Amino acid sequence: MRHDETRTGLIATLSAFIIWGFAPLFWMHLKHIPSAEVLAHRIAWSAPMALALLWLRDRRFTELRALIHPAPGVRRALLLSTLLIAVNWFTFIWAVAHDRVTEASLGYYTNPLVNVVLGRIFLGERLSRLQWAAVGLAGLGVAWLALSMGTLPWVSLVLAFSFAFYGLVKKRAPVSPLTGIFVETGLWAPLCVAYLLAVPETPWGALTREGSTAALLVLSGAMTLGPLLLFAIGARRLPYSTVGMLQYLAPTLQLAVAVLVFGEPFTSAHVVTFACIWGAVGLFVSGSRQRRRS
């Protein structure tokens, strides 16, 4: 049974990261739609899909009903996580639409290292010397890219920090992934629907203009929920260290899509930066193994 659980977890986790890795191919087909409109559709379709899945799991909505009058700390955490995930989703959609997928992949490479720093600052988690060296090397890589470009790689930083703080805040709101995603999309859904009804030209914007575009906009809800649920299934069945290693698959695939499919430039500055990030990942993994052995 344990072997079957591990196999299920591995398949689910790999599936989630593969979907996230190739996600730019999906969102690229919507680049002709304003990013705010795409985000509004993504949220508007995710909320009812999540509610339907909640109903299938528990028709009494036990966990959801318990959140009607949550503790103040849980309420604040859910409101903050709702804001952070919207920022993260919008930035990624915008990055794909504006040919900045390479920067997006850099953000998701950096995210685990940002998690480490936030864990030290806010949760008092201790870091080994190798782990601190990893954080420093990653910082040097981002700084080098900023100096070479003459501007901060803000897409990378926003994605890395928004998702890192999102994960940190979720620790303060112990709800299931499906319930959490419904709350986070459900709180935004009325505003998104109102925005879509007010879109110039036609109500609901692109949804009423093209059949293929309309289908993709509706599917954006499944594109959001699917990998999140697969990740939740896998994370419960695999060691955390295994999940941590597998998570680098997504930005690696995103980088490959950016350079090989979209033809985004990969300059010498990018080579140095990604070399620093990959080196930081190696140091971080080595530091983690040393701490487990000790």
Side-chain angles (χ1 to χ4, degrees), residues 50 63-64 67 73-86 88-89 115 118 122-123 161-187 225 228-229 231-232 240:
E63 186 179 26
L64 192 59
L67 292 176
V74 173
R75 183 187 297 112
R76 287 193 295 269
L78 287 171
L79 290 173
L80 186 53
S81 69
T82 297
L83 175 63
L84 288 167
I85 199 62
N88 185 271
W89 287 347
N115 287 342
L118 295 185
F122 294 100
L123 303 176
F161 279 88
S162 62
F163 204 67
F165 274 105
Y166 174 75
L168 181 66
V169 170
K170 292 288 277 186
K171 285 183 171 291
R172 309 291 183 181
V175 298
S176 69
L178 184 55
T179 299
I181 197 65
F182 170 70
V183 172
E184 290 157 1
T185 54
L187 289 174
L225 288 177
L228 282 172
L229 295 178
F231 176 77
Y240 189 69

Side-chain angles (χ1 to χ4, degrees), residues 12-245:
T13 305
L14 282 173
S15 299
F17 287 131
I18 289 172
I19 293 171
W20 280 327
F22 287 114
L25 294 172
F26 177 88
W27 300 111
M28 180 60 74
H29 284 89
L30 294 170
K31 69 178 297 184
H32 60 292
I33 308 298
S35 298
E37 190 175 329
V38 175
L39 177 65
H41 275 287
R42 183 177 187 177
I43 292 173
W45 292 109
S46 294
M49 289 181 184
L51 185 62
L53 290 174
L54 280 173
W55 182 78
L56 290 173
R57 191 184 69 179
D58 177 13
R59 299 189 180 188
R60 299 184 63 184
F61 296 111
T62 305
E63 186 179 26
L64 192 59
R65 289 165 60 191
L67 292 176
I68 295 175
H69 301 290
V74 173
R75 183 187 297 112
R76 287 193 295 269
L78 287 171
L79 290 173
L80 186 53
S81 69
T82 297
L83 175 63
L84 288 167
I85 199 62
V87 169
N88 185 271
W89 287 347
F90 175 80
T91 304
F92 187 78
I93 292 169
W94 186 94
V96 173
H98 291 80
D99 303 320
R100 307 279 282 274
V101 179
T102 300
E103 280 188 57
S105 70
L106 175 60
Y108 287 117
Y109 270 120
T110 309
N111 169 249
L113 301 170
V114 178
N115 287 342
V116 171
V117 175
L118 295 185
R120 177 68 184 92
I121 295 172
F122 294 100
L123 303 176
E125 297 177 354
R126 299 181 61 186
L127 303 180
S128 68
R129 290 182 179 178
L130 277 179
Q131 288 173 324
W132 275 121
V135 173
L137 185 58
L140 285 175
V142 173
W144 174 260
L145 186 61
L147 289 172
S148 302
M149 294 172 57
T151 181
L152 279 174
W154 67 268
V155 169
S156 306
L157 295 175
V158 170
L159 288 173
F161 279 88
S162 62
F163 204 67
F165 274 105
Y166 174 75
L168 181 66
V169 170
K170 292 288 277 186
K171 285 183 171 291
R172 309 291 183 181
V175 298
S176 69
L178 184 55
T179 299
I181 197 65
F182 170 70
V183 172
E184 290 157 1
T185 54
L187 289 174
W188 279 111
L191 292 175
C192 290
V193 170
Y195 169 75
L196 291 171
L197 289 173
V199 168
E201 299 181 19
T202 57
W204 286 88
L207 192 63
T208 58
R209 291 200 291 266
E210 298 178 54
S212 58
T213 297
L216 289 173
L217 289 170
V218 174
L219 283 173
S220 66
M223 189 69 182
T224 299
L225 288 177
L228 282 172
L229 295 178
L230 287 169
F231 176 77
I233 291 169
R236 286 198 300 266
R237 290 168 171 80
L238 291 179
Y240 189 69
S241 57
T242 303
V243 175
M245 287 297 297

Side-chain angles (χ1 to χ4, degrees), residues 204-290:
W204 286 88
L207 192 63
T208 58
R209 291 200 291 266
E210 298 178 54
S212 58
T213 297
L216 289 173
L217 289 170
V218 174
L219 283 173
S220 66
M223 189 69 182
T224 299
L225 288 177
L228 282 172
L229 295 178
L230 287 169
F231 176 77
I233 291 169
R236 286 198 300 266
R237 290 168 171 80
L238 291 179
Y240 189 69
S241 57
T242 303
V243 175
M245 287 297 297
L246 291 175
Q247 76 181 75
Y248 292 105
L249 176 62
T252 300
L253 291 174
Q254 288 172 7
L255 179 62
V257 168
V259 177
L260 301 178
V261 180
F262 297 157
E264 292 187 18
F266 194 69
T267 65
S268 58
H270 287 101
V271 171
V272 172
T273 296
F274 277 93
C276 289
I277 296 296
W278 289 324
V281 170
L283 286 175
F284 178 73
V285 171
S286 298
S288 299
R289 287 177 177 172
Q290 282 187 4

